[in-house]
Amino acid sequence: KNEVEQSPQNLTAQEGEFITINCSYSVGISALHWLQQHPGGGIVSLFMLSSGKKKHGRLIATINIQEKHSSLHITASHPRDSAVYICAVSSGNQFYFGTGTSLTVIP
Amino acid sequence: KAGVTQTPRYLIKTRGQQVTLSCSPISGHRSVSWYQQTPGQGLQFLFEYFSETQRNKGNFPGRFSGRQFSNSRSEMNVSTLELGDSALYLCASSPDGPGGYGYTFGSGTRLTVV
């Protein structure tokens, strides 16, 4: 049983498309994180959310605490957005990860 | 400011050996957490140290251990290496705890066990 489920696993989009990645979790959380991992391993923390919505450039993250669900949206996608996007939740002092969504944006 | 520094970047070890990985957190960060990433299991939480104390531990065998020094630098040790320990080992630091404000990952150490 996975505490964090992500969908889709793989996503291919044309440049300029609007992209949505979904994350559902089953544990009580103090925060939810969206991470971006580029080929080569480096991980960047994109957002930390405990409620509502956050926006950074073309990226938008939302969370619904009652439904235990979060979405990451990318507007006007670009090939440089190609990466693996990972949803993670903080629960107590534990940290649970989704399996990631591999996004490829084609020019 | 300097980011989270992990050394070495790459490591090849033989089954049965032991290995020590190092993580230097961002200055002022007291929490260091360690993760294992494999193609099959994805990212998994190993343990977290805060002010030299292990605060929490994931579901890994006792062969995996760590420590944190007074300057917040942390080391992770794996003894009696197995082929399945081949993975990317990542550490992350933050002021307060995993996922807290300022949570920052290092680039990782890629361990290959042959």
Side-chain angles (χ1 to χ4, degrees), chain A residues 51-69:
Chain A
S51 65
K53 174 179 170 178
K54 287 192 176 179
K55 184 175 188 291
H56 182 72
R58 296 180 293 106
L59 302 177
I60 303 166
T62 64
I63 187 169
N64 185 316
I65 297 293
Q66 287 73 31
E67 294 186 4
K68 295 190 172 180
H69 180 269

Side-chain angles (χ1 to χ4, degrees), chain A residues 43-59:
Chain A
I43 294 180
V44 174
S45 177
L46 296 174
F47 294 104
M48 181 175 77
L49 291 162
S50 54
S51 65
K53 174 179 170 178
K54 287 192 176 179
K55 184 175 188 291
H56 182 72
R58 296 180 293 106
L59 302 177

Side-chain angles (χ1 to χ4, degrees), chain A residues 25-90:
Chain A
Y25 54 92
S26 58
V27 295
I29 69 169
S30 54
L32 182 142
H33 304 260
W34 283 102
L35 310 172
Q36 179 192 58
Q37 185 172 31
H38 280 286
I43 294 180
V44 174
S45 177
L46 296 174
F47 294 104
M48 181 175 77
L49 291 162
S50 54
S51 65
K53 174 179 170 178
K54 287 192 176 179
K55 184 175 188 291
H56 182 72
R58 296 180 293 106
L59 302 177
I60 303 166
T62 64
I63 187 169
N64 185 316
I65 297 293
Q66 287 73 31
E67 294 186 4
K68 295 190 172 180
H69 180 269
S70 175
S71 293
L72 176 68
H73 305 286
I74 304 176
T75 61
S77 59
H78 189 276
R80 65 174 174 265
D81 297 327
S82 297
V84 175
Y85 292 84
I86 302 168
C87 173
V89 299
S90 310

